[in-house]
Amino acid sequence: MRLADLQERLVRALVSAEPERELSDLDLDPQGLRLAATIILKLRFDRVMRAEARYRDLYDSDPDGFTRDFLAYHRAVPPQAYFPAEEAALFESFLRHRQTDSLELPTQQR
């Protein structure tokens, strides 16, 4: 396996719901994978929260809905931002794209 392939698998696994299952064929510590995945999730969430007051307000008003949206973003968009504004821009783009997709679905069914 090439290093680039392994890195891609690792990135996918660390944003999945079950990172240890994604990489079960490798001899990696499952608890270590779970911890790394949790840290990555928390870092991304913290960056979004620090970047935009409106996201903090959304979280305060609908924590379950915001968490669902954020987890969907986390699993769909690979980690690539370093600064809070970059993470928030990626999250905003994801939400806009998803809203556009969901608004188009009923029209396509007609």
Side-chain angles (χ1 to χ4, degrees), residues 54-66:
R54 65 192 165 114
Y55 292 136
R56 292 188 296 273
D57 294 341
L58 279 172
Y59 180 76
D60 288 342
S61 66
D62 182 11
D64 291 338
F66 185 88

Side-chain angles (χ1 to χ4, degrees), residues 26-96:
L26 302 176
D27 189 24
L28 299 172
D29 176 20
Q31 289 179 330
L33 285 172
R34 174 67 62 186
L35 179 60
T38 301
I39 290 169
I40 291 168
L41 175 63
K42 181 180 182 340
L43 288 170
R44 296 184 84 188
F45 183 83
D46 288 349
R47 282 194 294 260
V48 167
M49 288 294 123
R50 282 194 307 257
E52 298 279 344
R54 65 192 165 114
Y55 292 136
R56 292 188 296 273
D57 294 341
L58 279 172
Y59 180 76
D60 288 342
S61 66
D62 182 11
D64 291 338
F66 185 88
T67 300
R68 269 192 311 275
D69 288 344
F70 186 81
L71 287 174
Y73 157 74
H74 176 67
R75 293 190 177 115
V77 179
Q80 53 195 299
Y82 182 76
F83 294 106
E86 294 169 338
E87 193 79 66
L90 289 170
F91 184 52
E92 179 73 26
S93 176
F94 170 80
L95 292 175
R96 267 197 318 270

